Amino acid sequence: MNLRVISTTSTSIFVMWDEVLSDEQNGNISSYNVRYQAIPEAGSAGPFFTELVMAPTRQVNLTGLTKDMHYNVSVLAST
C-alpha cells in the first residue's frame, strides 16, 4: 500500500498510504486503522495506539508523540 511517514515536527508525523487494489479488497473499504507504537532503543516497546480514518481519506497526522523516539506504524483496511 506504499505507506509513507514524514516527520512534521519533533512530536508529530504525517502518515499517508495508497488505496488497496480493487482485486485485493474483500468488499468496499469503509475505514483504515492506523496503529503506531513507540520503539525505544533499549527495553520493551510501548503500547499500541490506534487512529481511525474514515475512507476515502488515506492520510492522518499523528500528534503528541515522544520527541526523538522511533515509531512502528502500520495501516489496516476495514470493510
Side-chain angles (χ1 to χ4, degrees):
M1 288 187 356
N2 197 19
L3 181 65
R4 299 169 306 279
V5 179
I6 300 167
S7 177
T8 53
T9 71
S10 62
T11 60
S12 66
I13 55 177
F14 186 71
V15 182
M16 55 194 145
W17 56 93
D18 291 343
E19 185 174 7
V20 178
L21 298 174
S22 59
D23 62 334
E24 294 180 2
Q25 293 181 15
N26 189 19
N28 292 327
I29 304 298
S30 60
S31 63
Y32 298 93
N33 290 299
V34 180
R35 292 182 54 173
Y36 57 102
Q37 177 185 38
I39 307 296
E41 287 186 29
S44 60
F48 277 103
F49 296 96
T50 302
E51 187 78 27
L52 181 65
V53 178
M54 301 307 292
T57 302
R58 294 189 318 273
Q59 61 187 29
V60 64
N61 194 41
L62 303 177
T63 61
L65 306 177
T66 302
K67 185 177 180 179
D68 297 326
M69 181 69 67
H70 292 277
Y71 282 84
N72 181 18
V73 179
S74 63
V75 178
L76 306 170
S78 298
T79 56

